[in-house]
Amino acid sequence: METIILVSVLATLGVVGIIGLVLVAFIKLRSKVDVADYEAHIRELEDRIDSVDLHNRNEIDSVRNDLWSFANEFERLIDNRENDLRQSIDESLRFTDSRCDKLYAEMHNLVR
């Protein structure tokens, strides 16, 4: 009789212990992150990353276009300066050539 009481008490304690473990596990799992919330959060983060990536690409393209236009403007200015310099050199050479021709003519007239 004592054995039956001891076995029934131990069985009852075992069942209560298992039920207690299931309740504790359920409570802990309930406080964990929901899979749908987790996936929604991951999607939100991916969207933010894509948005930042798109913004960075647009900024890079804008800077690239600005640099391209500045380079073209500088090239145009350099070409204009080069043309002005060539014209100045040509005018100087024509002037020098004209003076040399006049000097030669004067020297030729003096020799005659």
Side-chain angles (χ1 to χ4, degrees), residues 51-112:
S51 173
V52 168
D53 185 46
L54 180 63
H55 176 72
N56 287 343
R57 287 176 191 251
N58 289 340
E59 285 293 319
I60 289 170
D61 287 342
S62 173
V63 169
R64 184 182 299 136
N65 290 337
D66 289 346
L67 288 174
W68 184 259
S69 66
F70 288 142
N72 286 337
E73 180 68 21
F74 283 133
E75 186 175 346
R76 187 184 63 76
L77 287 173
I78 288 171
D79 288 344
N80 289 343
R81 297 285 181 173
E82 183 181 9
N83 289 336
D84 291 345
L85 183 61
R86 286 182 191 270
Q87 287 177 355
S88 295
I89 290 172
D90 287 344
E91 287 176 14
S92 297
L93 289 175
R94 277 194 301 271
F95 180 75
T96 304
D97 190 40
S98 169
R99 291 297 173 190
C100 287
D101 287 345
K102 287 182 181 180
L103 181 61
Y104 178 77
E106 280 296 321
M107 290 172 56
H108 191 63
N109 285 339
L110 287 176
V111 172
R112 282 188 196 181

